[in-house]
């Protein structure tokens, strides 16, 4: 159970970081230093990448533990063992808990987005003054400067609240629908593949590696619909063709659809797992 909680915390942190990247886009447009904003955020992304490196083997170990427990106590074929089916049910509940932690991390990221946007905007200007990352870190570690930065109430918050309740203007709804589906697939892709491996222990490696195919569908959707539209809106705001209000609304609705996407992952989880399982059987069939 301690391992499961650690996986849940790591998953929440990864999705928290992925959510805050939307605020980076807004900070980049506000300061007209988009490249600098994304470059500075890469430092934070390194923490998420490290968390992902720790999370992956832990996830795999949970599935392996389920299979090994079934093999240890099964008196006949593993997939016909009532005990193993009980273990699969428990594993499914654990994975759903992990998906729920992704939702919690995303919601926390949404709540932190306005404050993070304000602080990150200040960091961009401080980086220009510092001229290097080491000097920036020294400045940020100065208590007096940190208090001065945080004490000032960000006027951005009031502007953001005024722009949120409205339906997004001049932004296609298909953009947000595709984003919801992409996040749903990405959230459950690896988890469904691991569960498919538990459903098909004999070919669990094949099933696990098929997560790349599932996530590939999300990558195609993102590359064709989400990323180009977001980039176009951002560039138009930078050139003054669009009002920055459009960027604030886009960020808000991207955050909202990201939350919906992690919830949709609960729906995708089992169908995706069975689809991966059947695909693994087809791939492995010639060698059976």
């Amino acid at each position: 159970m301690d391992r499961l909680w650690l996986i849940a915390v790591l998953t929440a942190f990864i999705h928290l970081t992925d959510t805050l990247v939307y605020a980076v886009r807004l900070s980049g447009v506000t300061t007209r230093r988009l490249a600098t904003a994304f470059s500075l955020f890469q430092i934070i992304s390194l923490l998420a990448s490290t968390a992902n490196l720790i999370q992956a083997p832990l996830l795999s170990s949970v599935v392996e533990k389920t299979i090994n427990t079934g093999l240890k106590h099964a008196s006949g074929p593993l997939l016909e063992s009532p005990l193993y089916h009980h273990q699969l049910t428990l594993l499914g509940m654990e994975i759903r808990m992990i998906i729920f932690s992704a939702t919690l991390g995303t919601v926390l990221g949404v709540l932190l987005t306005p404050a993070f946007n304000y602080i990150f905007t200040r960091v961009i200007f401080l980086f220009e003054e510092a001229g290097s990352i080491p000097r920036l870190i020294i400045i940020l570690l100065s208590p007096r400067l940190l208090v001065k930065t945080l004490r000032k109430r960000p006027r951005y918050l009031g502007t953001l609240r005024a722009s949120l309740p409205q339906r997004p203007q001049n932004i296609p709804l298909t953009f947000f629908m595709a984003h919801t589906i992409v996040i749903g697939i990405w959230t459950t892709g690896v988890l469904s593949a691991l569960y498919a491996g538990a459903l098909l222990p004999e070919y669990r490696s094949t099933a696990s590696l098929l997560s790349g195919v599932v996530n590939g569908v999300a990558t195609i959707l993102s590359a064709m619909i989400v990323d180009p539209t977001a980039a176009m809106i951002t560039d138009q705001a930078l050139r003054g063709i669009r009002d920055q209000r459009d960027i604030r609304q886009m960020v808000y609705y991207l955050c909202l659809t990201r939350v919906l996407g992690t919830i949709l992952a609960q729906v995708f989880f089992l169908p995706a797992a069975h689809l991966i399982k059947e695909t693994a059987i087809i791939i492995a069939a010639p060698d059976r």
Side-chain angles (χ1 to χ4, degrees):
M1 183 58 70
D2 291 341
R3 180 176 301 183
L4 184 63
W5 281 109
L6 177 57
I7 294 172
V9 170
L10 290 172
T11 301
F13 177 74
I14 292 168
H15 283 264
L16 164 66
T17 306
D18 289 344
T19 304
L20 291 178
V21 74
Y22 301 137
V24 174
R25 187 181 295 273
L26 182 55
S27 295
V29 171
T30 303
T31 61
R32 297 191 179 279
R33 292 160 176 80
L34 190 62
T36 301
F38 278 115
S39 179
L40 289 174
F41 190 75
Q42 291 302 313
I43 300 174
I44 301 176
S45 295
L46 288 175
L47 297 176
S49 299
T50 303
N52 199 30
L53 289 174
I54 300 172
Q55 179 211 43
L58 289 175
L59 279 171
S60 181
S61 69
V62 170
V63 177
E64 292 291 342
K65 181 181 178 182
T66 298
I67 296 173
N68 291 333
T69 301
L71 289 171
K72 182 178 179 180
H73 296 94
S75 56
L78 180 61
L79 295 178
E80 296 178 7
S81 169
L83 173 63
Y84 188 64
H85 281 280
H86 177 66
Q87 291 293 321
L88 286 176
T89 301
L90 292 178
L91 177 62
M93 292 174 61
E94 291 175 347
I95 291 179
R96 288 193 182 279
M97 176 184 166
I98 294 170
I99 296 175
F100 181 67
S101 71
T103 303
L104 291 181
T106 304
V107 170
L108 182 59
V110 172
L111 295 176
L112 292 176
T113 291
F116 182 81
N117 168 249
Y118 171 71
I119 294 172
F120 197 76
T121 299
R122 291 284 297 138
V123 168
I124 291 173
F125 289 124
L126 285 174
F127 175 70
E128 287 194 340
E129 295 177 13
S132 67
I133 294 297
R135 290 188 62 187
L136 174 64
I137 294 174
I138 294 173
I139 293 174
L140 291 176
L141 291 177
S142 170
R144 185 177 63 179
L145 181 59
L146 187 61
V147 170
K148 180 180 177 182
T149 301
L150 297 179
R151 183 184 298 169
K152 183 179 177 182
R153 179 178 176 83
R155 289 176 294 176
Y156 160 74
L157 293 179
T159 307
L160 180 65
R161 293 192 190 102
S163 67
L164 297 190
Q166 304 176 14
R167 180 179 179 274
Q169 301 295 321
N170 304 318
I171 302 176
L173 290 179
T174 53
F175 167 65
F176 296 115
M177 293 172 61
H179 185 253
T180 303
I181 295 172
V182 165
I183 296 302
I185 296 174
W186 271 340
T187 301
T188 194
V190 173
L191 297 171
S192 292
L194 288 172
Y195 189 73
L199 293 175
L200 194 67
E202 187 179 357
Y203 298 104
R204 58 181 177 272
S205 296
T206 302
S208 297
L209 291 174
L210 281 172
S211 63
V213 177
V214 176
N215 288 341
V217 175
T219 302
I220 292 172
L221 279 175
S222 182
M224 293 183 64
I225 302 176
V226 179
D227 292 342
T229 303
M232 178 187 67
I233 294 171
T234 303
D235 286 343
Q236 289 176 346
L238 281 172
R239 297 201 309 270
I241 300 175
R242 280 180 180 266
D243 193 278
Q244 288 189 12
R245 181 190 185 93
D246 288 349
I247 293 294
R248 288 194 295 270
Q249 286 194 337
M250 182 183 74
V251 168
Y252 170 74
Y253 282 100
L254 282 176
C255 288
L256 176 61
T257 52
R258 186 176 185 89
V259 174
L260 294 177
T262 60
I263 296 173
L264 186 62
Q266 298 279 4
V267 179
F268 286 164
F269 167 55
L270 277 181
H274 286 286
L275 179 61
I276 293 171
K277 172 191 169 184
E278 296 302 322
T279 304
I281 291 174
I282 293 173
I283 293 174
D287 298 326
R288 298 184 68 175

